[in-house]
């Protein structure tokens, strides 16, 4: 059972689970759910809004990069629309792209997806080895109210999808999300057996989970100044 970032509740059960048993499980989790609701009320989401102005802060793997709006990059953007780069400690966006917040949003999110995918691919093997699971295919995209998902397959190790926004977090928290999803290859749900498995690969997983809950509520999720997605 998972309380999603929007406050909704997701309960995953085996295919032939008795509905009555599932209802009893939810009813028996009343204290746990009340604690989750209390924490959310005490620490509401505070996701920032971006305007893509010179000097604005963006984060990649926990490090802050100031935005550089550079008209000299326009020729490169015309040749390769959506071009965003890290150059000398600055996140460089062409002036042409920065003029429209929605266009800039697509370009920057595209950059997070590309660079995040390369980074995640390099981290998959070590965590899969620790958990004793095969390496699934990896995608980086918007996965809604979750930081990651894992989808099983009968013909291959399945597919892991990671939210592009997690690559703003420090690397050890991205590792946590990756390990968290890899553990689902062996065990679905978040019962005691699941957490025991995850702790074998990442003994500090509870601490990292709490840190993710705290930092995650302050990540940029794509909101821009004109209020349009």
């Amino acid at each position: 059972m998972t309380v999603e970032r929007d406050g909704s509740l997701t309960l995953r059960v085996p295919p032939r689970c008795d509905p009555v048993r599932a209802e009893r499980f939810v009813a028996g989790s009343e204290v746990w759910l009340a604690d989750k609701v209390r924490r959310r009320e005490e620490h509401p989401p505070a996701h920032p809004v971006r305007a893509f102005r010179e000097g604005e802060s963006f984060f990649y793997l926990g490090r802050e990069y100031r935005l550089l709006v550079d008209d000299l990059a326009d020729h490169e953007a015309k040749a390769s629309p959506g071009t965003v780069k890290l150059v000398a400690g600055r996140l460089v966006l062409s002036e042409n792209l920065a003029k429209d917040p929605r266009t800039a949003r697509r370009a920057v999110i595209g950059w997070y997806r590309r660079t995040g995918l390369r980074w995640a691919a390099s981290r998959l093997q070590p965590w899969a080895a620790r958990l004793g699971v095969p390496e699934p295919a990896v995608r980086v995209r918007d996965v809604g109210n979750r930081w990651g998902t894992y989808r099983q397959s009968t013909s291959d190790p399945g597919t892991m999808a990671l939210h592009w926004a997690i690559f703003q977090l420090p690397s050890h928290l991205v590792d946590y999300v990756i390990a968290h999803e890899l553990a689902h290859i062996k065990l679905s749900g978040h019962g005691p057996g699941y957490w025991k498995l995850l702790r074998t690969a990442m003994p500090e997983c509870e601490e990292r989970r709490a840190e993710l809950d705290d930092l995650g509520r302050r990540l940029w999720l794509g909101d821009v100044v004109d209020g349009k997605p």
Side-chain angles (χ1 to χ4, degrees):
M1 185 161 57
T2 305
V3 178
E4 306 294 353
R5 294 204 316 273
D6 63 355
S8 63
L9 181 67
T10 300
L11 177 66
R12 299 178 180 85
V13 299
R16 297 181 182 179
C17 178
D18 183 351
V20 174
R21 182 182 178 187
E23 290 175 3
R24 288 175 179 169
F25 175 79
V26 174
S29 303
E30 183 177 352
V31 174
W32 180 84
L33 287 170
D35 180 62
K36 288 290 186 180
V37 171
R38 177 184 58 78
R39 291 186 184 184
R40 183 176 177 82
E41 291 174 346
E42 292 176 353
H43 305 284
H47 302 298
V49 175
R50 295 288 184 244
F52 304 99
R53 298 190 181 100
E54 181 83 20
E56 200 167 32
S57 294
F58 287 83
F59 289 83
Y60 177 60
L61 296 180
R63 181 177 175 182
E64 183 180 18
Y65 295 91
R66 296 287 182 175
L67 184 67
L68 175 62
V69 178
D70 185 3
D71 59 353
L72 296 178
D74 280 341
H75 70 281
E76 188 173 348
K78 291 175 182 177
S80 179
T83 297
V84 178
K85 286 188 174 183
L86 276 182
V87 179
R90 301 290 294 272
L91 186 67
V92 181
L93 178 69
S94 77
E95 187 175 31
N96 189 47
L97 289 173
K99 289 177 181 177
D100 180 1
R102 285 172 292 174
T103 301
R105 173 188 183 274
R106 287 193 295 270
V108 173
I109 289 176
W111 176 82
Y112 275 116
R113 291 180 64 178
R114 293 189 300 274
T115 56
L117 181 60
R118 288 194 296 270
W119 191 89
S122 71
R123 301 299 297 154
L124 202 62
Q125 190 278 329
W127 290 110
R130 290 187 188 186
L131 287 159
V133 298
E135 296 178 41
V138 183
R139 305 286 183 267
V140 175
R141 57 183 178 82
D142 189 331
V143 293
N145 292 315
R146 303 177 187 178
W147 297 127
T149 66
Y150 170 70
R151 178 170 295 181
Q152 292 181 325
S153 172
T154 57
S155 58
D156 56 50
T159 301
M160 175 195 300
L162 302 172
H163 199 299
W164 62 265
I166 69 170
F167 295 96
Q168 299 168 73
L169 294 165
S171 58
H172 67 278
L173 295 183
V174 185
D175 273 341
Y176 167 77
V177 176
I178 290 172
H180 183 108
E181 298 306 329
L182 285 172
H184 283 308
I185 296 177
K186 279 190 174 180
L187 290 172
S188 60
H190 296 97
Y194 169 85
W195 292 108
K196 181 179 179 180
L197 171 64
L198 187 55
R199 277 193 295 271
T200 63
M202 184 180 285
E204 68 281 14
C205 62
E206 281 90 353
E207 290 83 355
R208 293 194 181 184
R209 181 187 184 189
E211 189 178 356
L212 175 61
D213 287 344
D214 179 47
L215 293 182
R217 67 187 181 87
R218 297 194 293 271
L219 291 184
W220 177 58
L221 297 181
D223 292 330
V224 296
V225 289
D226 65 358
K228 297 177 182 179

